[in-house]
Amino acid sequence: MIFNWVEELNKVHDCIAKLFVPNNIFFSLSDVIEDEYWTDYLFLHPEVVRIVSTIDQNNQMTNFELTIKK
């Protein structure tokens, strides 16, 4: 069986975007206007660098590139 980290993540968090931490260089939820879905924002702004920052279990910042498809 292949481990699906997204399924495991969803067991603990209801939305992966809640793990994104503010970052002046990469995408964060502060880029999104109120009442707009962050996924819609990325679809409407393809020029946005789709890298996000999170904090891992060791309190270290980790960056990930997002791939998003409809």
Side-chain angles (χ1 to χ4, degrees):
M1 175 183 236
I2 298 174
F3 178 74
N4 187 332
W5 70 271
V6 174
E7 288 178 10
E8 293 300 314
L9 182 71
N10 285 334
K11 290 178 184 177
V12 179
H13 303 283
D14 61 341
C15 181
I16 192 171
K18 291 181 180 177
L19 299 175
F20 302 166
V21 294
N23 186 316
N24 292 335
I25 301 170
F26 304 133
F27 173 77
S28 70
L29 293 180
S30 63
D31 297 326
V32 181
I33 60 172
E34 190 175 336
D35 296 328
E36 180 180 30
Y37 291 108
W38 67 273
T39 52
D40 290 341
Y41 176 88
L42 291 178
F43 282 125
L44 294 172
H45 299 89
E47 74 283 358
V48 171
V49 175
R50 294 179 179 179
I51 298 175
V52 296
S53 297
T54 62
I55 302 294
D56 68 17
Q57 294 174 333
N58 298 318
N59 215 21
Q60 298 293 315
M61 186 175 289
T62 305
N63 301 319
F64 294 94
E65 182 175 3
L66 295 175
T67 300
I68 188 165
K69 298 178 184 177
K70 285 192 177 194

